[in-house]
Every structure is written in C-alpha cells, then in structure tokens.
C-alpha cells in the first residue's frame, strides 16, 4: 500500500516566531493599510493590473496638461496616490504568492494528515475489538464522524 506524503518538513518555533514578527513589522511600516467591509468592497471602483497603465498615463496627462484640469483638481494628491500604488503593487503580488504557497502547503499537509489519520483510525478500530482502552479512544475519535453516515477510508 502506497502512503501519501506530499510534504515532509519541519519548522522550528523560532522560525515561525521570526516570520510572524516580520509580518508584524510590515504592518508597522504601513500604518495606513485599511480593511474594508464587504459593502465597501462592492461599492468602490475596482482596479486590476491592466488599469495601472491607465492610471499612470492619466497622471502623465495631468502633469503635462494641467490647464486642461479644473483648478481645484488635486494633482499632487493624485500623484501621491499613483506613486504609492506603484510601490505597493509588487508587495501585493509577492504576498499573494506567499499566501497561495501557504494555502497549498496547508492543504497538502492536511490531506497527508487526514489520510494518515484514516489509516491509524482503521488500525485502532481493529485493536478496539480486543483492547478496552483502544475502544474508548476509537469511540472518542468516531465522534468526529457522527451524523455523516458510514465512513469508509478512501484508498
């Protein structure tokens, strides 16, 4: 029987603590980051990767043709927003790649652990036929599946 083992690695507590501290440090470096509600996300106009060029071109136009804009148009604030947007975008891409890697790794680890757990559960159910202590543990583990119908270990 072939056993699945998609991920075989360890991470020290110190490494995890350092990574968490790095994330906290990033949050400190960018105190202006906000979290929007679902309603706010729906309400705001969206900007995708292709729109970055659109916004940059409009900033160029605002700088080259200031007389074409109303006198109260905040060109300096627009420039500040576009500059920050251009600086933050690579961070977004990098953090999304990191998040995707974490999600996929956790999914694979979870799959490994569930398959291994299913195998252990099967062995424990056999042991429970002759060992009262194992029977109690199997009963406790079996509560996880209560209300799900017959559980069969996938092969």
């Amino acid at each position: 029987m072939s056993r699945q083992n998609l991920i075989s690695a360890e991470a020290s507590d110190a490494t995890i603590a350092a990574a968490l501290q790095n994330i906290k440090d990033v949050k400190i470096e960018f105190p202006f980051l906000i979290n929007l509600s679902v309603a706010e996300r729906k309400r705001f106009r969206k900007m995708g990767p292709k729109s970055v060029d659109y916004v940059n071109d409009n900033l160029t136009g605002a700088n080259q043709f200031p007389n074409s804009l109303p006198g109260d148009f905040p060109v300096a604030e627009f420039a500040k927003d576009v500059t920050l947007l251009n600086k933050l975008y690579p961070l977004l891409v990098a953090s999304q790649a990191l998040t995707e890697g974490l999600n996929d790794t956790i999914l694979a680890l979870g799959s490994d652990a569930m398959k291994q757990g299913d195998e252990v559960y099967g062995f424990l159910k056999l042991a429970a036929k002759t060992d009262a202590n194992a029977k109690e543990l199997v009963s406790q583990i079996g509560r996880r599946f209560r209300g799900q119908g017959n559980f069969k270990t996938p092969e």
Side-chain angles (χ1 to χ4, degrees):
M1 171 199 248
S2 174
R3 289 193 172 97
Q4 173 180 308
N5 191 24
L6 301 171
I7 304 292
S8 179
E10 295 180 8
S12 71
D13 291 344
T15 300
I16 297 297
L20 288 170
Q21 186 59 51
N22 288 338
I23 292 169
K24 289 177 185 175
D25 291 345
V26 168
K27 288 180 179 181
I28 291 168
E29 291 295 322
F30 299 102
F32 52 82
L33 295 178
I34 62 172
N35 294 95
L36 300 173
S37 68
V38 173
E40 289 170 323
R41 286 176 183 265
K42 288 180 181 178
R43 188 176 71 231
F44 291 141
R45 185 161 180 211
K46 311 301 184 287
M47 178 177 163
K50 294 178 183 177
S51 300
V52 174
D53 289 338
Y54 168 79
V55 171
N56 282 313
D57 289 344
N58 278 287
L59 177 58
T60 298
N63 285 323
Q64 288 180 353
F65 304 101
N67 294 336
S68 298
L69 304 174
D72 64 345
F73 185 85
V75 175
E77 185 61 32
F78 180 41
K80 190 168 94 174
D81 289 348
V82 172
T83 299
L84 184 58
L85 176 71
N86 286 318
K87 288 179 179 180
L88 290 179
Y89 222 85
L91 292 174
L92 175 65
V93 172
S95 67
Q96 286 173 332
L98 174 63
T99 299
E100 184 177 334
L102 285 168
N103 280 330
D104 290 349
T105 301
I106 288 171
L107 185 132
L109 283 169
S111 180
D112 283 353
M114 287 298 288
K115 283 187 172 280
Q116 292 161 358
D118 291 343
E119 191 173 354
V120 168
Y121 185 51
F123 290 130
L124 289 173
K125 287 194 308 187
L126 289 174
K129 292 179 180 181
T130 59
D131 184 335
N133 291 327
K135 186 174 184 174
E136 178 57 33
L137 181 59
V138 166
S139 175
Q140 179 182 331
I141 294 169
R143 289 186 207 130
R144 151 72 170 94
F145 302 109
R146 193 172 289 148
Q148 294 183 8
N150 274 344
F151 175 76
K152 298 204 181 200
T153 304
E155 304 211 12

